[in-house]
Amino acid sequence: MARGTAGLVGRSLLWLAGTLGLLGAALLTVPRLIEPDGPRGVELVALTPFGLVPAVVLLVLAIGLAAIHRGAVRLLATVLALVGLVATALHVAWLSPLYVGSQARGSGEQLVVMTQNFEYGDASSLARMVRDLRVDVLVLCDMGPEQWTAVEGSSIPADLPHLADTEGGVVALSRYPMAEDRPMTLHGSGRSVRFTASPLGPVTLFALHPVQPYWPGVWDEDARRIVDIISSHLGGEPNPTIVAGDLNATLDNWPLRALQSLGLTDAVDAVNAGFQPTYPAGVQHRRWGISVPPLVQIDHVLVSRQLVVSDVKQVQTEGADHLGVVATLTLAMP
């Protein structure tokens, strides 16, 4: 192949790769900025963390193309490089709080909170997890009757004898008595529970599993209802508050951003644990015989300002299609 032909092929491949980088960056950046309606829009926003890769690819390739061209083509490549630079900067800004930032200091007794979507999974494995990690409060989401029967037959009720449930939608089990237990009106399911005798003193827990974003408008209705209820609660509640469950939204989707704006902090964010996707997991989701790795973080433990997250970890319950989230909480130092 002549040198000129080889150069033309190389430049064409660079333009092709740059175009793919531009498309990928646009798909995983623009939705985060405009928050489009509909299931596909919600899903694209949830995949925002992966947009850093095509943004960087676009930036690097566009700089290279600008270096090897002249005239109008160089100008075009320069514009693409600027687009890549802006997209890269946005993604760094969105991701960096998960990796860097000051961490609050806590003291005193601990409360261990675990959330697990348990539509699938082995109750014995979950029971071992609860016992080994010394879980104090367990939030289970998306259970059918058979799964709940399996939980009832395990050692979990003996370890966590106090119960609040919504007929299998969301179940909260606790080591400590519940003084209040109020269901929430959602298309999905949820409830608020109040503990007065926990190691942290009076604490309110919102155990939540809003509807999935497959039905236009319904997901938004659940999200707005949850944000309104928690906003009203935080406005008149001096005691610590915890939000836990499969929230069917990531930290990039507007409902989680709204909750954070109210003063709640995600446990993963609080300890700079990085990007920690929780779904899909296990063997329930396979493509061509290969298990799909976790892609989105939709399972959360969030805390109010009176609480400090001293540790957070993801756990794999055998057979479950979500990773569980286990957060260790203490009171914030005055």
Side-chain angles (χ1 to χ4, degrees), residues 266-269 271 273 276 301 309-314 325-328:
D266 188 271
V268 171
D269 191 351
V271 299
Q276 297 283 338
V301 175
V309 181
S310 60
D311 181 65
V312 64
K313 59 173 63 72
Q314 292 181 327
V325 179
V326 181
T328 302

Side-chain angles (χ1 to χ4, degrees), residues 9-266:
V9 171
R11 289 192 296 272
S12 297
L13 291 175
L14 285 177
W15 276 107
L16 176 60
T19 301
L20 293 175
L22 175 63
L23 292 174
L27 279 173
L28 298 174
T29 305
V30 175
R32 172 65 163 77
L33 296 171
I34 66 175
E35 201 72 48
D37 295 329
R40 296 288 84 82
V42 174
E43 290 171 354
L44 282 174
V45 175
L47 293 172
T48 295
F50 296 100
L52 180 61
V53 174
V56 171
V57 168
L58 173 62
L59 174 61
V60 172
L61 292 180
I63 290 173
L65 288 167
I68 63 177
H69 286 289
R70 298 290 184 271
V73 179
R74 168 177 280 186
L75 178 61
L76 174 60
T78 301
V79 171
L80 290 177
L82 290 174
V83 171
L85 178 62
V86 171
T88 299
L90 285 171
H91 283 284
V92 169
W94 292 333
L95 277 171
S96 58
L98 292 174
Y99 293 90
V100 297
S102 60
Q103 298 184 31
R105 297 176 61 188
S107 62
E109 298 290 329
Q110 297 181 336
L111 186 74
V112 179
V113 178
M114 176 178 179
T115 180
Q116 174 71 65
N117 182 298
F118 205 56
E119 181 180 7
Y120 307 101
D122 179 70
S124 297
S125 173
L126 178 64
R128 287 193 298 273
M129 199 86 66
V130 167
R131 181 160 292 179
D132 292 346
L133 297 177
R134 298 181 179 179
V135 171
D136 297 307
V137 177
L138 174 64
V139 175
L140 299 177
C141 306
D142 210 12
M143 287 191 300
E146 291 184 3
Q147 285 293 87
W148 176 234
T149 298
V151 170
E152 288 184 304
S154 73
S155 62
I156 293 175
D159 292 328
L160 307 175
H162 303 283
L163 169 69
D165 74 276
T166 55
E167 298 179 352
V170 168
V171 175
L173 300 105
S174 169
R175 195 177 304 277
Y176 308 104
M178 302 175 186
E180 296 179 11
D181 175 18
R182 298 179 180 177
M184 298 169 62
T185 303
L186 300 172
H187 294 285
S189 53
R191 64 196 314 109
S192 62
V193 178
R194 185 176 178 84
F195 307 96
T196 57
S198 81
L200 308 184
V203 175
T204 298
L205 166 73
F206 287 91
L208 302 173
H209 185 223
V211 74
Q212 298 167 329
Y214 300 149
W215 298 276
V218 179
W219 179 83
D220 288 89
E221 287 181 22
D222 264 11
R224 295 187 192 283
R225 177 69 175 158
I226 287 169
V227 172
D228 288 346
I229 290 173
I230 294 178
S231 176
S232 177
H233 165 79
L234 292 174
E237 175 58 69
N239 295 315
T241 298
I242 303 166
V243 177
D246 173 2
L247 302 188
N248 275 316
T250 73
L251 293 173
D252 289 296
N253 291 116
W254 75 260
L256 265 295
R257 302 206 311 269
L259 291 177
Q260 289 180 310
S261 72
L262 296 176
L264 296 173
T265 301
D266 188 271

